[in-house]
Amino acid sequence: MKISCKALLAVVLVLLVFSVAWAAEKTWQSQEGEFKGKTITVLITDPHTAVVEAWKPEWEALTGAKVEIIVVPYASLFDKMMTDFITGTGAYDLICWPSTWAGDVMGGGWVIPLDDYMKEYGYPGWDDVMPAIKVVVSWANKVYAFPYDGDCHMFYYRKDALENPDYQAQFEEKYGYRYNVPPKTWEEVMDIAEFFNGWDWDNDGETEYGFAFIAKRKTQAMWSYLDFVMQYAAQPGVAPFFDPDTMDPLVANPGWIEAMKMIQKATQFAPPGLLSYGYSELRQAFVSGNSAMAIDWGDIGIMEQSPEEYGSKVKGLLGYGPLPGAKKTYDFKEGKWVEGYNQVNFLNFGGWVFSISKYSKNPLAAYKFATYFTAPERSILDVCGIHGYTGANPWRLSHFEDLDKWVEGGWSKESAEKYLNTIRTILSDPKAVTDLRIPGAAEYYDYLDLHLAEVLSGQTEAEAACKAIYEDWVKITENYGKEAQRKLYRESLGLD
Amino acid sequence: MGRKRVSGFYIFAWIVLILFSVWTVFPFFWSVITSFKSPGEQYSSAFLPFLQFKPSTYAWKVVLGEAEGERTLRGLKNSVLISSISSLIVLFLGAFAGYSLSRFRFRRWKNKDIAVWILSNRMFPPIAVAIPFFLIMRTLRLLDTLPAIIMAHTVYNLPLAIWLMMDFFRELPEEVEEAALIDGCSALQAFLRVALPLALPGIVAVYILCFIFSWNEFLFVVTLSYRNTMTMPVVIAGTLTVRGLDFWKVSALSLLSITPPVILAALTSRYLIRGLTLGAVKE
């Protein structure tokens, strides 16, 4: 009996040791020599390569694995990725893609859900991920992608213009009210833009203008328009694209038309050549100091800090704010205008994410590599400028708190604080509206972009353009299958 | 009076030619100066180095240095290999096909029908065959290998080469080859020793055309390659990022990319001019 007790104890101990050892292996942390001889392939575009290139050597040295990086032009990424998926080739393990393709990629079932891996191996600081970003990486309540980039449009303004007391007084005299800094509504932005348009308000000997935004066809101008749409045609947490019950496009309703009229008005106070402003031209022009206000992703803030690399003449002169709201909004459910202040944060584009291909031959190695470089202590270096321009904007709570790292990345403490506070406010908003993520999103947006260009160039009026967008969107929906699209749209909104 | 008119014409001609030269050379000039600007100056309208801006070798250090040098040189090497080899294969096959279609009469399928069928292969939009090509190469385990791209470019350029060569050989006097046959040459020897040397300018022109088509080809390369067989057009296209287009980098890469075809064209310009006009005049 004594012996059997000892034997039992020994067995329990052995089991305990094994279970501890087994449990110790089940971690997201990469172990020494863990993937020796294995190769994982990453499909990616520039400038995101900077992130993978930065972490590749030490992860390879730690695990013994090899990371092959396949860099393709952005314009070819979708075709390259989908060809691999459709033919089942399995050439890529990890893919860096823009989350606006979620309907095709996640909805199409081409990438593996990460929930089981997260449960089994853990994930570094899931609670540290901003709520809006958790929505972006999910589809139908499952996580399909590694968060990596916190993308949203924000409002930029020149502090030396808008915060100048003399100008504020002159404005008040002319318009009869004192504007907010940053402006709270698009109506206010229009007045300020008009006030600062066409004269040298910073005394640099050159004429400055009111308001700049991306307006060039085929360069994401539709996201500028959607910044207006969100305020006039959406409410917090309510996406304004389709009626989720009928899948009828909402793009011709009075809210969308009003937004179109406002962006058309904004062109009057913009710098010359606005219609040739893609994202690079806008950023370059704005940091060279030609306008008082602009809307863009977090990139202008990054470029502001680099006079040498981007010719920034506005370092320390920029203020940041969330998107301006509107004095009224159209409620499509009730079919009427609702008077009163409305401000909606919008996750334009949604940011870049990493996913593991369904055909990956080394999904665990891919999981561990992705968790390695997206861990809090490493990802901060990719978003704050220490690793240069990576295209990744802050997306973890901790990214907003470690100010020292931002200072190390070239920011002044004050600028970094304000910039981060703005982005944090947007990404913390549980009612921030996510971008259109159903299959064909690029096609829907292409037609939106086309008719927007007609309005901005003065060829078409707002009503006619919105009607044309409506007709095109109906056709696209029918081509993809109305019921299938309705189901996916609801899934993308987390309604089903 | 007449002399005056001639002078006026010459002045006018010179002005037109100078304007045309400026128009033609300006993109190259712009590329050169942009490749020596720092990223911050890429949008500035400064044109005169040292006077208006301080030249910087930043772009060249990036595209040839540690950061991206390997990718650039690999792209350049692949472009040279793929274009040279595929154009040689096209020449080899095209010369035989073009000669046979111009000199022999086929019975079951008429020459004209064969020639039209060959040309119809060139009429496919490349995108229509990109996925089939991908699947074939995947089955053959040739994805991301030089033979896959070389084969694709050969298939794509062959119809044009056959048609051009068919015309070149038609223009040669048959009597010379007949004389060779009477002197004891076989048909193959008449082709190799008589027709081919006489058609050399045309063959060089075809080689250069195929080389340039292959050099610029984008779709098949981007479809069939991953990493090892990227060519310069794909490397250049990769400079368009979410941050926008880095003109300084595009300029440096473009200058590197145009250098080999320019050298080739310069070395063979004598043949090229004769070749391009060969077959242009019908008697």
Side-chain angles (χ1 to χ4, degrees), chain A residues 352-365:
Chain A
W352 289 78
V353 294
F354 279 85
S355 286
I356 302 173
S357 165
K358 180 176 145 181
Y359 300 106
S360 166
K361 289 160 192 104
N362 297 301
L364 182 60

Side-chain angles (χ1 to χ4, degrees), chain A residues 462-496:
Chain A
E463 289 88 349
C466 288
K467 194 165 169 265
I469 299 167
Y470 174 86
E471 283 162 7
D472 288 330
W473 280 30
V474 167
K475 273 186 216 154
I476 297 167
T477 307
E478 279 165 6
N479 286 345
Y480 278 87
K482 194 172 180 180
E483 190 46 40
Q485 288 293 83
R486 191 185 75 87
K487 185 175 169 284
L488 290 168
Y489 183 62
R490 292 181 67 85
E491 277 182 11
S492 75
L493 299 178
L495 294 174
D496 287 335

Side-chain angles (χ1 to χ4, degrees), chain A residues 3-17:
Chain A
I3 293 165
S4 62
C5 263
K6 273 184 182 172
L8 192 66
L9 196 67
V11 168
V12 167
L13 270 171
V14 167
L15 280 175
L16 200 67
V17 166

Side-chain angles (χ1 to χ4, degrees), chain A residues 442-477:
Chain A
E443 215 175 322
Y444 286 111
Y445 275 178
D446 190 40
Y447 282 95
L448 178 60
D449 188 44
L450 169 70
H451 298 297
L452 170 68
E454 289 168 352
V455 171
L456 297 181
S457 60
Q459 293 175 52
T460 312
E461 288 306 311
E463 289 88 349
C466 288
K467 194 165 169 265
I469 299 167
Y470 174 86
E471 283 162 7
D472 288 330
W473 280 30
V474 167
K475 273 186 216 154
I476 297 167
T477 307

Side-chain angles (χ1 to χ4, degrees), chain A residues 28-207:
Chain A
W28 64 268
Q29 306 251 26
S30 300
Q31 308 296 312
E32 210 175 320
E34 193 179 2
F35 300 112
K36 201 171 179 187
K38 289 193 173 174
T39 300
I40 61 164
T41 310
V42 183
L43 179 67
I44 200 164
T45 56
D46 268 333
H48 307 284
T49 32
V51 171
V52 179
E53 293 277 10
W55 298 112
K56 174 186 144 146
E58 60 180 64
W59 192 76
E60 283 180 337
L62 174 69
T63 62
K66 200 175 166 220
V67 178
E68 286 268 9
I69 303 171
I70 296 173
V71 188
V72 293
Y74 172 60
S76 311
L77 179 63
F78 187 80
D79 299 340
K80 200 89 183 150
M81 179 177 73
M82 291 311 285
T83 305
D84 189 73
F85 290 157
I86 290 164
T87 59
T89 304
Y92 319 114
D93 297 292
L94 202 57
I95 300 164
C96 180
W97 56 281
S99 62
T100 188
W101 299 343
D104 295 284
V105 180
M106 294 175 179
W110 300 115
V111 293
I112 60 171
L114 301 176
D115 304 66
D116 291 343
Y117 281 91
M118 290 167 78
K119 214 177 277 173
E120 201 170 343
Y121 296 95
Y123 176 87
W126 183 246
D127 293 337
D128 190 34
V129 179
M130 299 299 283
I133 302 301
K134 285 182 181 172
V135 175
V136 165
V137 295
S138 305
W139 185 268
N141 300 318
K142 277 188 175 179
V143 176
Y144 281 88
F146 298 92
Y148 153 79
D149 176 25
D151 257 358
C152 57
H153 264 194
M154 55 196 280
F155 189 82
Y156 293 92
Y157 63 94
R158 285 283 295 274
K159 289 191 288 185
D160 51 335
L162 271 69
E163 291 178 2
N164 183 317
D166 292 340
Y167 296 157
Q168 287 175 340
Q170 286 171 32
F171 179 92
E172 193 172 358
E173 200 181 316
K174 188 174 173 187
Y175 293 89
Y177 71 96
R178 182 168 278 262
Y179 59 73
N180 295 287
V181 182
K184 281 185 76 179
T185 64
W186 281 118
E187 290 85 354
E188 209 176 4
V189 170
M190 292 302 125
D191 287 342
I192 303 169
E194 186 181 35
F195 178 78
F196 284 106
N197 193 48
W199 56 286
D200 181 14
W201 37 258
D202 64 355
N203 302 313
D204 65 349
E206 286 176 20
T207 304

Side-chain angles (χ1 to χ4, degrees), chain A residues 46-49 68-74 76 80 83-84 87-89 91-92 279-281 283-284 308-311 349 352 389, chain B residues 38-40 42-43 58 68 71 131 134-135 138 143 218 221-227 230 234 237-238 240-245 249:
Chain A
D46 268 333
H48 307 284
T49 32
E68 286 268 9
I69 303 171
I70 296 173
V71 188
V72 293
Y74 172 60
S76 311
K80 200 89 183 150
T83 305
D84 189 73
T87 59
T89 304
Y92 319 114
Y279 37 81
S280 53
E281 290 85 0
R283 290 166 191 169
Q284 199 71 48
E308 300 82 19
E309 201 171 345
Y310 303 112
F349 192 72
W352 289 78
Y389 184 90
Chain B
S38 64
Q42 63 177 331
Y43 287 96
Y58 181 83
E68 295 177 17
R71 205 194 306 175
I131 299 297
F134 178 86
L135 293 171
R138 191 191 64 162
L143 285 176
F218 178 82
V221 178
V222 91
T223 309
L224 301 176
S225 66
Y226 295 128
R227 184 168 184 269
M230 291 278 187
V234 182
L240 177 62
T241 69
V242 285
R243 179 177 52 181
L245 191 60
K249 201 194 282 185

Side-chain angles (χ1 to χ4, degrees), chain B residues 33-64:
Chain B
I33 57 164
T34 308
S35 71
F36 285 102
K37 282 183 177 177
S38 64
E41 282 174 325
Q42 63 177 331
Y43 287 96
S44 71
S45 53
F47 285 105
L48 303 170
F50 298 105
L51 295 175
Q52 289 180 301
F53 71 94
K54 196 178 157 204
S56 155
T57 52
Y58 181 83
W60 295 99
K61 279 181 188 156
V62 170
V63 300
L64 292 174

Side-chain angles (χ1 to χ4, degrees), chain B residues 77-88:
Chain B
K77 190 184 98 189
N78 288 338
S79 283
V80 170
L81 283 174
I82 289 167
S83 302
S84 317
I85 297 173
S86 74
S87 303
L88 274 178

